[in-house]
Amino acid sequence: MSELISYQFDDGVATLTLANGKVNALSPQMFEALNAALDRAEQDRAVVILTGQPGILSGGYDLKVMTSSAENAMSLVATGSAFTRRMLAHPYPIIVACPGHAIAKGAFLLLAADYRIGVEGPFNIGLNEVQIGMTMHHAGIELARDRLGKAAFQRSVINGELFDPQGAVLAGFLDRVVSAEALMETALAVAAQLKRINMVAHRNTKLKVRKALLETLDQAIELDKQHFGA
């Protein structure tokens, strides 16, 4: 489908694999490809599996873009926030099969999914914004507040603490951890289970459950635009 994302559709499951360098940097072009992939998956009425390369889902936003200018940083953060909001409201289930590290925006992809599977190993998962001198944006704070446990939210957002895969389950970034060899087999098994649910009921229930969060995110995204504009 794209040099940045491969799209494989088989038996009602669309597998989207990120492939943008060593850390799968999330650039404007990557989000364009991700949105196109979700468009196609929706047309295919597919359960989605989002994954990365062995050892990493994503290291977050493309730092070359983030440091190029305030305008470029503002635009990329807004684009990223809009994408995770889209994930939360997507009409079909989204599974993230995280093959290793998931840092910053990479971890927000986990927080926006319906089911998250990680792998055993010396991997870091979490939000390191304050470690690298970035004040957390409003949309990120609200998404983390909703999906993380209260204590983990404080440790993650305010302290920039990163978690190992088992710690990420306890924190709320992941739902389960398996061996690296079993990752895609497990993701496909979860997808097979999710294919059996009624998708209209899934979509309607998802939107009811997340109504307050989606409204809060809309407000937070606007606040972030005002903040960057100032």
Side-chain angles (χ1 to χ4, degrees), residues 10-117:
D10 183 49
D11 193 24
V13 178
T15 301
L16 284 53
T17 305
L18 308 184
N20 187 22
K22 293 182 179 179
V23 299
N24 283 331
L26 296 168
S27 63
Q29 296 77 16
M30 179 66 94
F31 283 115
E32 182 178 351
L34 279 166
N35 276 304
L38 279 192
D39 287 343
R40 181 172 173 183
E42 189 169 347
Q43 292 172 359
D44 287 335
R45 301 176 180 270
V47 172
V48 173
I49 297 174
L50 179 64
T51 191
Q53 304 163 22
I56 191 158
L57 177 66
S58 174
Y61 287 129
D62 188 330
L63 291 181
K64 290 181 180 178
V65 177
M66 291 296 288
T67 57
S68 61
S69 71
E71 291 78 12
N72 288 342
M74 174 191 69
S75 177
L76 184 53
V77 170
T79 298
S81 296
F83 180 75
T84 44
R85 188 207 184 280
R86 180 181 182 179
M87 286 180 65
L88 288 161
H90 190 68
Y92 298 92
I94 296 179
I95 301 161
V96 174
C98 180
H101 300 293
I103 305 295
K105 190 62 183 181
F108 280 120
L109 296 179
L110 295 174
L111 295 181
D114 299 306
Y115 200 93
R116 300 79 49 85
I117 309 163

Side-chain angles (χ1 to χ4, degrees), residues 13 20 27 29 50 54 56 66 98 112 121-122 131 135 138 144 147 154-155 167 188 211-212 217:
V13 178
N20 187 22
S27 63
Q29 296 77 16
L50 179 64
I56 191 158
M66 291 296 288
C98 180
Q131 289 189 24
T135 300
H138 291 94
R147 299 304 302 269
Q154 301 287 330
R155 291 162 60 190
L188 287 169
K211 181 176 185 293
L217 285 177

Side-chain angles (χ1 to χ4, degrees), residues 108 126-137 140-141 144-145 148-163 173:
F108 280 120
L127 310 173
N128 71 337
E129 278 80 353
V130 298
Q131 289 189 24
I132 60 174
M134 295 178 63
T135 300
M136 182 70 76
H137 55 303
I141 290 170
R145 191 196 310 277
L148 295 176
K150 186 173 182 179
F153 168 73
Q154 301 287 330
R155 291 162 60 190
S156 182
V157 172
I158 296 175
N159 299 345
E161 181 176 343
L162 300 179
F163 300 87
F173 287 103

Side-chain angles (χ1 to χ4, degrees), residues 211-228:
K211 181 176 185 293
L213 172 60
L214 294 171
E215 291 174 351
T216 298
L217 285 177
D218 288 336
Q219 296 169 5
I221 290 168
E222 288 305 312
L223 279 174
D224 287 328
K225 289 178 181 178
Q226 294 172 21
H227 170 77
F228 278 112

